Amino acid sequence: QRKEERLRYLQRYWTDQVRGKGNIVINTPIDPKLSCGIANVGIVDMKPHDLADTLMNKYKIYTVAIDGAHGCRITPNISTTPKELDVFVSALKEMGNV
């Protein structure tokens, strides 16, 4: 239960900062009963593979492109820190024109 709470906190930490902002699209439901630690994010008019490549090459952030969900799977570990997620949020805001 504690791991689930931690993973849910981390997912909400970053998704709450970018949901509905600029060209950023969160493809994961906001309802906590429908998701936990994993989320999917996309940028309008950007292919998932291009988003994953940009995150890796420019920001050194590893993600997995998911074409069917039109975004990248973001999977924090329980040891991921909010400071590390802040780097990711900043990258998304830059790419999503926020």
Side-chain angles (χ1 to χ4, degrees):
Q1 183 178 350
R2 287 179 35 205
K3 286 181 182 179
E4 180 181 334
E5 289 171 5
R6 172 69 178 171
L7 292 171
R8 198 175 305 282
Y9 162 77
L10 292 171
Q11 189 255 97
R12 291 294 304 265
Y13 178 85
W14 74 265
T15 57
D16 285 351
Q17 292 184 63
V18 296
R19 188 180 295 274
K21 304 261 171 86
N23 292 324
I24 301 169
V25 179
I26 302 294
N27 298 308
T28 303
I30 195 167
D31 185 346
K33 294 175 189 164
L34 300 175
S35 66
C36 189
I38 297 173
N40 183 286
V41 62
I43 303 291
V44 173
D45 296 329
M46 188 175 210
K47 292 183 180 186
H49 182 75
D50 294 336
L51 175 57
D53 284 348
T54 301
L55 286 168
M56 176 54 88
N57 296 330
K58 186 172 181 181
Y59 303 100
K60 305 298 180 220
I61 298 170
Y62 177 75
T63 62
V64 176
I66 308 291
D67 288 329
H70 306 290
C72 289
R73 183 183 69 213
I74 309 303
T75 314
N77 190 304
I78 56 172
S79 62
T80 300
T81 65
K83 185 176 180 181
E84 290 171 320
L85 289 174
D86 288 340
V87 173
F88 176 60
V89 167
S90 293
L92 285 177
K93 287 181 174 179
E94 184 177 313
M95 289 187 294
N97 298 317
V98 176

